[in-house]
């Protein structure tokens, strides 16, 4: 998969995760778009790979936050 395809896939995945963002989808989308635009002119493959790895890390952190929120909600309801 080319780097361009990886970046587009990363962007789409993050947009999908942003639907449940606590500050609202529009805020999340705006900040995500701004972050991707800031690095749009980067051409060094090593730096782009590092940014993709960082993006995957951020995805894992967002998923962990959602799981924690779900766990706390369940705990509050049943205890």
């Amino acid at each position: 998969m080319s780097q361009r395809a990886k970046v587009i896939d990363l962007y789409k995945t993050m947009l999908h995760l942003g639907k449940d963002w606590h500050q609202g989808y529009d805020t999340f989308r705006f900040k995500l778009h701004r972050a991707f635009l800031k690095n749009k002119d980067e051409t060094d493959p090593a730096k782009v790979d590092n940014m993709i790895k960082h993006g995957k890390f951020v995805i894992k952190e967002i998923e962990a936050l959602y799981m924690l929120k779900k766990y706390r909600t369940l705990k509050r309801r049943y205890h």
Side-chain angles (χ1 to χ4, degrees), residues 1 4 10 13-16 18 20 22 29-32 37 41-42 44 46 49 53 62 73-74 76:
M1 187 183 273
R4 178 177 166 78
L10 182 70
T13 303
M14 290 180 119
L15 272 179
H16 180 70
D20 295 328
H22 64 279
R29 188 178 61 82
F30 175 73
K31 289 182 179 181
L32 179 67
L37 279 180
D41 295 325
E42 187 61 52
D44 184 23
D49 281 338
K53 287 179 186 175
I62 292 171
T73 302
L74 287 173
R76 195 174 333 118

Side-chain angles (χ1 to χ4, degrees), residues 16-44:
H16 180 70
L17 285 175
K19 290 180 182 177
D20 295 328
W21 193 247
H22 64 279
Q23 294 176 342
Y25 178 70
D26 291 331
T27 304
F28 185 86
R29 188 178 61 82
F30 175 73
K31 289 182 179 181
L32 179 67
H33 187 71
R34 191 173 60 197
F36 273 76
L37 279 180
K38 183 176 80 173
N39 296 310
K40 74 175 185 171
D41 295 325
E42 187 61 52
T43 57
D44 184 23

Side-chain angles (χ1 to χ4, degrees), residues 37-67:
L37 279 180
K38 183 176 80 173
N39 296 310
K40 74 175 185 171
D41 295 325
E42 187 61 52
T43 57
D44 184 23
K47 286 185 180 180
V48 173
D49 281 338
N50 284 337
M51 285 187 254
I52 290 171
K53 287 179 186 175
H54 181 71
K56 290 180 180 180
F57 172 77
V58 170
I59 286 174
K60 289 180 184 177
E61 290 293 315
I62 292 171
E63 289 172 344
L65 285 173
Y66 288 162
M67 285 186 232

